[in-house]
């Protein structure tokens, strides 16, 4: 089976989020079943919400077992290489950030394929990228990152704006993807490195 670049990105994002979910489950000392469920929820949660919003049913992962196998491989990698991931202080953050960038792209392009307005496409990209993490954190009994001060969904929105700026100049898909993913990753890394945050809503 041959995959195009877009499909490869999708699977890489799925695996990155699956590893992120599995590592979160490992940190929470869940059993193998619980850890796997957390990985699945993280990997497909945002895409499922997106597909339901645009009426793309059955949702993508129900029609293609490749996603199922990709998530299981991600779980296996998280378990086998856990000590190496644990040695890397920001491993969970790393995989979460990669998934965030890739899934923003996926959501934007899904919206464009059904002819939605750019603002809605960026919204779909943000939902695709962040809602898996929301579901993961809720299941892990944590306040989701997106609801705290930390720069998370904002990075997706910035990436979406970058996507349309590059698209306006009719640049190649490779530049679109690299530029969009790059700005999301850079903003997210810098936000954590320098503790950037949005202001509290004081009322």
């Amino acid at each position: 089976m041959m995959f195009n670049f877009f499909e490869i990105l999708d699977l890489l994002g799925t695996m990155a989020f699956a590893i992120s979910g599995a590592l979160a489950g490992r940190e929470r000392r869940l059993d193998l079943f619980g850890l796997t469920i957390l990985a699945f929820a993280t990997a497909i949660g945002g895409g499922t919400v997106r597909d339901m919003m645009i009426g793309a049913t059955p949702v993508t992962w129900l029609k293609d077992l490749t996603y199922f196998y990709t998530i299981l491989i991600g779980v296996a990698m998280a378990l086998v290489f856990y000590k190496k991931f644990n040695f890397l202080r920001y491993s969970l953050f790393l995989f979460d950030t990669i998934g965030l960038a890739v899934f923003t792209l996926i959501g934007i392009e899904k919206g464009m394929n059904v002819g939605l307005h750019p603002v809605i496409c960026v919204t779909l990209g943000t939902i695709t990228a962040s809602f898996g993490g929301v579901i993961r954190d809720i299941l892990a009994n944590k306040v989701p990152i997106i609801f705290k001060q930390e720069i998370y969904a904002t990075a997706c929105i910035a990436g979406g704006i970058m996507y349309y700026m590059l698209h306006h100049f009719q640049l190649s898909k490779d530049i679109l993807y690299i530029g969009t993913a790059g700005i999301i990753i850079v903003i997210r890394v810098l936000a954590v490195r320098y503790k950037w945050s949005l202001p509290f809503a004081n009322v």
Side-chain angles (χ1 to χ4, degrees):
M1 181 185 296
M2 296 294 293
F3 296 101
N4 61 37
F5 184 61
F6 186 73
E7 291 170 333
I8 292 172
L9 276 180
D10 196 3
L11 293 177
L12 286 175
T14 299
M15 181 173 292
F17 266 164
I19 293 172
S20 170
L23 289 175
R26 185 70 171 75
E27 285 186 353
R28 287 289 180 174
R29 302 182 65 82
L30 300 183
D31 64 18
L32 182 59
F33 179 77
L35 183 149
T36 303
I37 293 298
L38 206 59
F40 268 86
T42 309
I44 62 176
T48 298
V49 173
R50 177 204 63 222
D51 286 351
M52 292 176 67
M53 289 178 69
I54 63 177
T57 55
V59 296
T60 304
W61 63 272
L62 290 177
K63 297 182 291 185
D64 189 352
L65 281 177
T66 304
Y67 292 95
F68 186 87
Y69 299 137
T70 299
I71 294 168
L72 289 181
I73 291 171
V75 171
M77 288 178 63
L79 291 174
V80 172
F81 299 109
Y82 173 73
K83 290 184 178 179
K84 292 186 180 296
F85 288 146
N86 193 45
F87 177 74
L88 300 174
R89 184 177 175 189
Y90 298 110
S91 58
L92 180 57
F93 164 77
L94 173 65
F95 287 109
D96 192 62
T97 300
I98 293 171
L100 198 71
V102 172
F103 275 26
T104 299
L105 281 167
I106 303 298
I108 291 172
E109 297 238 332
K110 290 276 187 178
M112 292 179 68
N113 289 341
V114 294
L116 298 178
H117 188 278
V119 172
I120 303 303
C121 290
V122 173
T123 302
L124 281 178
T126 303
I127 288 171
T128 306
S130 60
F131 270 56
V134 170
I135 296 170
R136 175 198 65 211
D137 290 345
I138 290 173
L139 291 177
N141 198 28
K142 296 167 59 180
V143 177
I145 293 174
I146 192 175
F147 299 145
K148 298 190 291 187
Q149 282 183 293
E150 194 169 329
I151 300 294
Y152 195 80
T154 311
C156 302
I157 295 170
I161 293 171
M162 172 63 74
Y163 181 96
Y164 277 98
M165 287 175 61
L166 297 174
H167 185 266
H168 175 75
F169 293 104
Q170 299 181 338
L171 299 176
S172 70
K173 285 288 187 180
D174 288 348
I175 295 176
L176 279 177
Y177 293 155
I178 294 170
T180 302
I183 196 69
I184 293 170
I185 292 171
V186 167
I187 289 174
R188 184 84 178 102
V189 169
L190 291 178
V192 172
R193 174 66 178 82
Y194 294 106
K195 296 181 170 56
W196 294 347
S197 63
L198 298 176
F200 280 115
N202 293 318
V203 294

